[in-house]
Short mmCIF file of all heavy atoms in Angstrom, two decimals:
data_model
loop_
_atom_site.label_atom_id
_atom_site.label_comp_id
_atom_site.label_asym_id
_atom_site.label_seq_id
_atom_site.Cartn_x
_atom_site.Cartn_y
_atom_site.Cartn_z
N ALA A 1 147.04 44.32 231.27
CA ALA A 1 148.17 45.15 231.49
C ALA A 1 147.96 46.26 232.54
O ALA A 1 148.81 46.51 233.41
CB ALA A 1 148.72 45.79 230.21
N THR A 2 146.87 46.96 232.40
CA THR A 2 146.57 48.12 233.24
C THR A 2 146.29 47.68 234.70
O THR A 2 146.55 48.45 235.63
CB THR A 2 145.39 48.92 232.70
OG1 THR A 2 145.60 49.22 231.32
CG2 THR A 2 145.17 50.15 233.47
N ARG A 3 145.77 46.45 234.91
CA ARG A 3 145.42 46.10 236.30
C ARG A 3 146.67 46.06 237.20
O ARG A 3 146.42 46.03 238.45
CB ARG A 3 144.76 44.74 236.32
CG ARG A 3 145.72 43.48 236.06
CD ARG A 3 144.95 42.24 236.07
NE ARG A 3 145.87 41.14 236.08
CZ ARG A 3 146.38 40.53 237.14
NH1 ARG A 3 146.06 41.06 238.31
NH2 ARG A 3 147.22 39.50 237.10
N TRP A 4 147.85 46.10 236.71
CA TRP A 4 149.08 46.05 237.51
C TRP A 4 149.25 47.43 238.21
O TRP A 4 150.14 47.59 239.03
CB TRP A 4 150.23 45.73 236.66
CG TRP A 4 150.24 44.23 236.39
CD1 TRP A 4 149.64 43.63 235.28
CD2 TRP A 4 150.68 43.23 237.18
NE1 TRP A 4 149.76 42.28 235.36
CE2 TRP A 4 150.45 42.03 236.59
CE3 TRP A 4 151.37 43.16 238.43
CZ2 TRP A 4 150.78 40.75 237.13
CZ3 TRP A 4 151.76 41.89 238.98
CH2 TRP A 4 151.42 40.72 238.28
N ALA A 5 148.32 48.39 237.96
CA ALA A 5 148.29 49.55 238.85
C ALA A 5 147.88 49.22 240.25
O ALA A 5 148.28 49.92 241.15
CB ALA A 5 147.34 50.56 238.24
N ASP A 6 147.07 48.21 240.40
CA ASP A 6 146.55 47.76 241.66
C ASP A 6 145.96 46.33 241.53
O ASP A 6 144.77 46.22 241.44
CB ASP A 6 145.51 48.74 242.22
CG ASP A 6 145.20 48.49 243.69
OD1 ASP A 6 145.48 47.42 244.15
OD2 ASP A 6 144.57 49.35 244.30
N THR A 7 146.83 45.38 241.55
CA THR A 7 146.37 43.97 241.36
C THR A 7 145.46 43.44 242.47
O THR A 7 144.78 42.48 242.32
CB THR A 7 147.62 43.03 241.15
OG1 THR A 7 148.43 43.21 242.25
CG2 THR A 7 148.30 43.37 239.86
N ALA A 8 145.65 44.05 243.69
CA ALA A 8 144.79 43.65 244.79
C ALA A 8 143.33 43.91 244.49
O ALA A 8 142.42 43.10 244.86
CB ALA A 8 145.22 44.27 246.09
N LYS A 9 143.07 45.04 243.87
CA LYS A 9 141.60 45.39 243.56
C LYS A 9 141.20 44.81 242.18
O LYS A 9 140.01 44.57 242.02
CB LYS A 9 141.55 46.93 243.44
CG LYS A 9 141.52 47.61 244.81
CD LYS A 9 141.29 49.13 244.58
CE LYS A 9 141.14 49.90 245.83
NZ LYS A 9 140.88 51.35 245.63
N TYR A 10 142.20 44.60 241.34
CA TYR A 10 141.78 44.22 239.95
C TYR A 10 142.48 42.89 239.58
O TYR A 10 143.51 42.90 238.96
CB TYR A 10 142.16 45.33 239.01
CG TYR A 10 141.40 46.56 239.22
CD1 TYR A 10 142.07 47.58 239.97
CD2 TYR A 10 140.15 46.83 238.87
CE1 TYR A 10 141.39 48.82 240.25
CE2 TYR A 10 139.51 48.00 239.10
CZ TYR A 10 140.10 48.99 239.78
OH TYR A 10 139.44 50.12 240.15
N PRO A 11 141.90 41.81 239.89
CA PRO A 11 142.44 40.48 239.55
C PRO A 11 142.32 40.14 238.06
O PRO A 11 141.55 40.88 237.34
CB PRO A 11 141.63 39.47 240.41
CG PRO A 11 140.33 40.19 240.53
CD PRO A 11 140.67 41.63 240.68
N SER A 12 143.07 39.18 237.64
CA SER A 12 143.02 38.83 236.22
C SER A 12 141.66 38.39 235.83
O SER A 12 140.98 37.55 236.46
CB SER A 12 144.03 37.69 235.92
OG SER A 12 143.85 37.29 234.65
N LEU A 13 141.21 38.80 234.68
CA LEU A 13 139.92 38.39 234.14
C LEU A 13 140.11 37.22 233.22
O LEU A 13 139.31 36.30 233.17
CB LEU A 13 139.23 39.52 233.32
CG LEU A 13 138.62 40.68 234.14
CD1 LEU A 13 138.06 41.74 233.23
CD2 LEU A 13 137.46 40.15 235.09
N THR A 14 141.22 37.18 232.44
CA THR A 14 141.49 36.08 231.50
C THR A 14 141.63 34.76 232.30
O THR A 14 141.33 33.68 231.76
CB THR A 14 142.65 36.30 230.70
OG1 THR A 14 143.80 36.60 231.53
CG2 THR A 14 142.41 37.57 229.72
N ALA A 15 142.04 34.87 233.49
CA ALA A 15 142.23 33.63 234.36
C ALA A 15 140.90 33.01 234.66
O ALA A 15 140.84 31.77 235.00
CB ALA A 15 142.99 33.89 235.62
N ARG A 16 139.83 33.80 234.54
CA ARG A 16 138.51 33.26 234.83
C ARG A 16 137.65 33.01 233.61
O ARG A 16 136.48 32.63 233.61
CB ARG A 16 137.75 34.32 235.72
CG ARG A 16 138.44 34.53 237.06
CD ARG A 16 137.84 35.70 237.80
NE ARG A 16 138.45 35.92 239.13
CZ ARG A 16 138.28 36.80 240.02
NH1 ARG A 16 137.36 37.72 239.71
NH2 ARG A 16 138.88 36.91 241.14
N LEU A 17 138.26 33.24 232.40
CA LEU A 17 137.60 33.04 231.16
C LEU A 17 138.16 31.74 230.49
O LEU A 17 139.09 31.10 230.94
CB LEU A 17 137.74 34.24 230.25
CG LEU A 17 137.26 35.56 230.79
CD1 LEU A 17 137.60 36.70 229.79
CD2 LEU A 17 135.73 35.50 230.92
N ARG A 18 137.57 31.37 229.42
CA ARG A 18 137.95 30.14 228.73
C ARG A 18 138.96 30.31 227.67
O ARG A 18 138.93 31.27 226.83
CB ARG A 18 136.59 29.52 228.01
CG ARG A 18 135.48 29.29 228.97
CD ARG A 18 134.20 28.88 228.27
NE ARG A 18 134.39 27.53 227.63
CZ ARG A 18 134.43 27.28 226.38
NH1 ARG A 18 134.28 28.33 225.50
NH2 ARG A 18 134.55 26.08 225.96
N GLY A 19 139.97 29.47 227.68
CA GLY A 19 140.94 29.37 226.61
C GLY A 19 142.19 30.21 226.73
O GLY A 19 143.05 30.13 225.85
N PHE A 20 142.37 30.94 227.82
CA PHE A 20 143.56 31.78 227.89
C PHE A 20 144.62 31.12 228.75
O PHE A 20 144.34 30.41 229.82
CB PHE A 20 143.18 33.09 228.68
CG PHE A 20 142.45 34.09 227.87
CD1 PHE A 20 141.04 34.10 227.86
CD2 PHE A 20 143.07 35.05 227.10
CE1 PHE A 20 140.33 34.96 227.15
CE2 PHE A 20 142.38 35.92 226.31
CZ PHE A 20 140.99 35.86 226.35
N ASP A 21 145.90 31.21 228.31
CA ASP A 21 146.96 30.78 229.06
C ASP A 21 147.27 31.88 230.16
O ASP A 21 146.81 33.06 230.00
CB ASP A 21 148.26 30.66 228.24
CG ASP A 21 148.06 29.44 227.25
OD1 ASP A 21 147.36 28.45 227.66
OD2 ASP A 21 148.59 29.49 226.15
N PRO A 22 148.11 31.60 231.20
CA PRO A 22 148.37 32.63 232.17
C PRO A 22 149.04 33.83 231.50
O PRO A 22 149.87 33.68 230.58
CB PRO A 22 149.43 31.96 233.10
CG PRO A 22 148.98 30.55 233.00
CD PRO A 22 148.58 30.25 231.60
N MET A 23 148.70 35.04 231.98
CA MET A 23 149.29 36.30 231.40
C MET A 23 150.65 36.51 231.93
O MET A 23 151.04 36.08 232.98
CB MET A 23 148.38 37.44 231.76
CG MET A 23 147.04 37.46 231.03
SD MET A 23 147.17 37.82 229.27
CE MET A 23 146.59 36.24 228.63
N PRO A 24 151.49 37.29 231.16
CA PRO A 24 152.87 37.62 231.63
C PRO A 24 152.78 38.52 232.96
O PRO A 24 151.75 39.03 233.24
CB PRO A 24 153.37 38.41 230.46
CG PRO A 24 152.62 38.09 229.23
CD PRO A 24 151.15 37.78 229.80
N VAL A 25 153.88 38.40 233.64
CA VAL A 25 154.07 39.25 234.83
C VAL A 25 155.21 40.27 234.57
O VAL A 25 156.28 39.85 234.06
CB VAL A 25 154.40 38.32 236.03
CG1 VAL A 25 154.67 39.14 237.27
CG2 VAL A 25 153.25 37.31 236.27
N PRO A 26 154.96 41.48 234.98
CA PRO A 26 156.08 42.48 234.70
C PRO A 26 157.30 42.21 235.55
O PRO A 26 157.23 41.63 236.66
CB PRO A 26 155.44 43.73 235.12
CG PRO A 26 154.27 43.44 236.06
CD PRO A 26 153.82 42.05 235.62
N SER A 27 158.42 42.46 234.99
CA SER A 27 159.72 42.17 235.58
C SER A 27 160.05 43.24 236.67
O SER A 27 160.96 43.08 237.52
CB SER A 27 160.87 42.11 234.56
OG SER A 27 160.92 43.34 233.91
N THR A 28 159.33 44.35 236.68
CA THR A 28 159.55 45.42 237.61
C THR A 28 158.25 46.11 237.86
O THR A 28 157.27 45.92 237.17
CB THR A 28 160.60 46.35 237.06
OG1 THR A 28 160.88 47.39 238.04
CG2 THR A 28 160.06 47.11 235.80
N ASP A 29 158.25 46.99 238.80
CA ASP A 29 157.07 47.74 239.25
C ASP A 29 156.68 48.70 238.17
O ASP A 29 157.45 49.59 237.80
CB ASP A 29 157.27 48.48 240.52
CG ASP A 29 156.02 49.28 240.94
OD1 ASP A 29 154.89 48.93 240.43
OD2 ASP A 29 156.12 50.16 241.86
N ILE A 30 155.48 48.52 237.52
CA ILE A 30 155.04 49.42 236.47
C ILE A 30 153.77 50.19 236.89
O ILE A 30 153.04 50.76 236.05
CB ILE A 30 154.77 48.64 235.16
CG1 ILE A 30 153.60 47.68 235.30
CG2 ILE A 30 156.05 48.03 234.59
CD1 ILE A 30 153.03 47.26 234.03
N SER A 31 153.43 50.19 238.13
CA SER A 31 152.13 50.77 238.61
C SER A 31 152.01 52.24 238.16
O SER A 31 150.86 52.62 237.89
CB SER A 31 152.01 50.66 240.14
OG SER A 31 153.12 51.35 240.79
N LYS A 32 153.09 52.94 238.05
CA LYS A 32 152.98 54.35 237.64
C LYS A 32 152.87 54.47 236.09
O LYS A 32 152.77 55.60 235.59
CB LYS A 32 154.19 55.15 238.13
CG LYS A 32 154.32 55.15 239.68
CD LYS A 32 153.13 55.83 240.34
CE LYS A 32 153.31 55.83 241.84
NZ LYS A 32 152.08 56.44 242.54
N ALA A 33 152.99 53.44 235.41
CA ALA A 33 152.87 53.47 233.98
C ALA A 33 152.01 52.35 233.41
O ALA A 33 152.16 51.97 232.32
CB ALA A 33 154.31 53.38 233.32
N ALA A 34 151.07 51.89 234.31
CA ALA A 34 150.27 50.77 233.89
C ALA A 34 149.30 51.09 232.77
O ALA A 34 148.98 50.29 231.86
CB ALA A 34 149.44 50.33 235.16
N ALA A 35 148.82 52.40 232.71
CA ALA A 35 147.86 52.80 231.60
C ALA A 35 148.63 52.70 230.24
O ALA A 35 148.11 52.40 229.26
CB ALA A 35 147.31 54.11 231.88
N LEU A 36 149.89 53.15 230.32
CA LEU A 36 150.71 53.09 229.07
C LEU A 36 150.86 51.64 228.59
O LEU A 36 150.78 51.35 227.46
CB LEU A 36 152.05 53.75 229.35
CG LEU A 36 153.05 53.69 228.16
CD1 LEU A 36 152.46 54.38 226.93
CD2 LEU A 36 154.39 54.30 228.52
N ALA A 37 151.17 50.74 229.61
CA ALA A 37 151.23 49.30 229.24
C ALA A 37 149.91 48.79 228.65
O ALA A 37 149.90 48.06 227.72
CB ALA A 37 151.58 48.58 230.52
N GLY A 38 148.84 49.25 229.26
CA GLY A 38 147.51 48.85 228.71
C GLY A 38 147.25 49.37 227.33
O GLY A 38 146.77 48.67 226.49
N PHE A 39 147.67 50.60 227.04
CA PHE A 39 147.56 51.20 225.77
C PHE A 39 148.35 50.39 224.70
O PHE A 39 147.86 50.06 223.61
CB PHE A 39 147.99 52.66 225.77
CG PHE A 39 147.97 53.31 224.41
CD1 PHE A 39 146.80 53.96 223.91
CD2 PHE A 39 149.07 53.31 223.59
CE1 PHE A 39 146.85 54.57 222.66
CE2 PHE A 39 149.14 53.93 222.42
CZ PHE A 39 147.95 54.55 221.88
N LYS A 40 149.53 50.07 225.13
CA LYS A 40 150.45 49.29 224.21
C LYS A 40 149.88 47.94 223.96
O LYS A 40 149.91 47.36 222.86
CB LYS A 40 151.86 49.19 224.83
CG LYS A 40 152.85 48.38 223.99
CD LYS A 40 153.14 49.13 222.69
CE LYS A 40 154.17 48.40 221.80
NZ LYS A 40 154.52 49.12 220.61
N ALA A 41 149.36 47.23 224.99
CA ALA A 41 148.72 45.93 224.83
C ALA A 41 147.52 46.04 223.85
O ALA A 41 147.36 45.17 223.03
CB ALA A 41 148.20 45.40 226.19
N MET A 42 146.64 47.09 224.08
CA MET A 42 145.56 47.24 223.19
C MET A 42 145.95 47.40 221.70
O MET A 42 145.37 46.74 220.85
CB MET A 42 144.76 48.48 223.64
CG MET A 42 143.56 48.87 222.75
SD MET A 42 142.75 50.39 223.25
CE MET A 42 141.97 49.93 224.70
N PHE A 43 146.98 48.17 221.46
CA PHE A 43 147.38 48.41 220.05
C PHE A 43 148.18 47.28 219.45
O PHE A 43 148.17 47.01 218.24
CB PHE A 43 148.19 49.72 219.96
CG PHE A 43 147.28 50.94 219.75
CD1 PHE A 43 146.16 51.08 220.50
CD2 PHE A 43 147.61 51.86 218.84
CE1 PHE A 43 145.34 52.19 220.37
CE2 PHE A 43 146.79 52.97 218.63
CZ PHE A 43 145.68 53.10 219.40
#
């Protein structure tokens, strides 16, 4: 979730790991609130 602050620098890790389906994509720009998205995902 947090990598959407800068996806060019931070590509998906789950896409390179075993057993994960593609992750969701945000419907709007959340770069200014990506840490909050990450916190919510974590919890």
Side-chain angles (χ1 to χ4, degrees):
T2 307
R3 77 180 188 87
W4 287 90
D6 189 345
T7 55
K9 285 186 177 180
Y10 300 97
S12 172
L13 288 175
T14 56
R16 298 171 179 176
L17 299 175
R18 302 175 66 249
F20 287 92
D21 293 329
M23 289 291 113
V25 175
S27 59
T28 187
D29 180 18
I30 64 158
S31 58
K32 299 300 182 182
L36 177 60
F39 177 88
K40 181 64 177 181
M42 178 186 286
F43 273 44

